[in-house]
Amino acid sequence: MDIGDLHPDPLIQFGRWFDEATSAGLQLPEAMTLATADARGRPSARTVLLKGVDGRGFLFFSNYESRKGRELTENAHGALVFHWPVEPRRQVTAAGAVERLPADESEAYFRTRPLGSRLGAWASRQSVPIPDRDALERAFAEAERRHGDDPPIPAWWGGYVLSPRRIEFWQNRPNRLHDRFRYLPDASGGWRIERLGP
């Protein structure tokens, strides 16, 4: 694999690898580790699902009051890791600024979610301590009673986009001499690509 094999646009290159991971039968190729940090730089990470890629970057949705939501309010930067353990084994990492999606875009996506997931967004105040499982079940039943089959989007829930300032593509090779390439913005508004030691 060489630089000439890569698309000049890293988001298009990501789409190619994502499609190949999907075609290879990998379960949940959209699963990604999202790392955030609070205002003091203390990091945390969790797995979330990619819900789209466009010219802005990588899209995902969450509870704005969760730990990650609070950290993104304090420190609006994040990093992503995709790990695809099917041949050829690959990894993509990205880092950049994170901002909320417009409210109408979040609402449009919310309406596409299964009913149970929409009610669950009302029932679960993510990252808040609860006394037991029964409390969660009662909150879900209350959301179902109040909203029926057409729950509106909660004020504390919506989308984010991570706009990458750095993207790396890694592909497994024998003897740990892996192929690794980094995209960085260039002065013309495009991207420069460099090979890195693995």
Side-chain angles (χ1 to χ4, degrees), residues 53-71:
V53 179
D54 62 22
R56 296 170 294 178
F58 300 90
L59 281 59
F60 60 96
F61 293 81
S62 185
N63 185 313
Y64 293 146
E65 296 176 354
S66 65
R67 182 180 65 194
K68 61 184 165 298
R70 293 192 309 269
E71 289 178 352

Side-chain angles (χ1 to χ4, degrees), residues 11-88:
L11 295 172
I12 293 175
Q13 180 62 40
F14 174 84
R16 290 177 176 175
W17 275 22
F18 183 86
D19 290 346
E20 290 174 19
T22 301
S23 297
L26 180 67
Q27 287 191 333
L28 291 177
E30 67 272 27
M32 59 187 188
T33 300
L34 167 65
T36 56
D38 64 17
R40 296 172 63 185
R42 294 173 297 196
S44 63
R46 77 291 291 153
T47 301
V48 298
L49 298 181
L50 176 72
K51 292 300 180 179
V53 179
D54 62 22
R56 296 170 294 178
F58 300 90
L59 281 59
F60 60 96
F61 293 81
S62 185
N63 185 313
Y64 293 146
E65 296 176 354
S66 65
R67 182 180 65 194
K68 61 184 165 298
R70 293 192 309 269
E71 289 178 352
L72 287 170
T73 297
E74 295 175 12
N75 181 357
H77 295 84
L80 304 174
V81 180
F82 295 86
H83 177 63
W84 297 318
V86 294
E87 292 299 332

